[in-house]
């Protein structure tokens, strides 16, 4: 089973000079249960560089997904944004 939750481009700088070292990325969040060696449902976070074969997939257990959510909330609060 694989269920897509959301996906989008990152908010990358428009300056092409900045994109050479840090190219734009496409992120995808999904639920998966067919990861070899894992017997339960995981939150999958994929980052890929469009136009290449570069792709990193993280398979997060619920506790790790909550830790990532907390880190993002802390980052938003630090820059003066309210996490939803």
């Amino acid at each position: 089973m694989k269920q897509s939750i959301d996906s989008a481009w990152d908010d990358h700088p428009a300056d092409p000079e900045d994109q050479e070292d840090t190219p734009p990325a496409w992120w995808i969040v999904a639920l998966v249960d067919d990861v070899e060696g894992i017997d339960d449902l995981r939150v999958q976070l994929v980052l890929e560089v469009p136009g290449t074969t570069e792709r990193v997939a993280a398979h997060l257990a619920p506790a790790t997904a909550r830790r990532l959510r907390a880190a993002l909330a802390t980052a938003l609060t630090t820059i003066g944004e309210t996490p939803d």
Side-chain angles (χ1 to χ4, degrees):
M1 190 256 328
K2 185 169 188 172
Q3 179 183 346
S4 181
I5 303 298
D6 200 1
S7 62
W9 288 100
D10 72 341
D11 301 305
H12 209 74
D15 184 354
E17 294 294 320
D18 291 336
Q19 294 182 13
E20 186 174 318
D21 292 334
T22 57
W26 181 255
W27 60 264
I28 305 158
V29 174
L31 296 176
V32 295
D33 69 352
D34 60 351
V35 179
E36 188 174 327
I38 299 174
D39 295 330
D40 56 354
L41 198 59
R42 296 296 169 118
V43 175
Q44 182 183 57
L45 172 62
V46 177
L47 296 174
E48 64 180 45
V49 179
T52 72
T53 58
E54 294 181 58
R55 180 180 228 190
V56 175
H59 300 95
L60 309 176
T64 308
R66 283 191 292 275
R67 184 175 174 183
L68 176 59
R69 179 183 65 188
L72 291 170
T74 298
L76 285 168
T77 301
T78 301
I79 64 170
E81 295 290 328
T82 304
D84 294 331

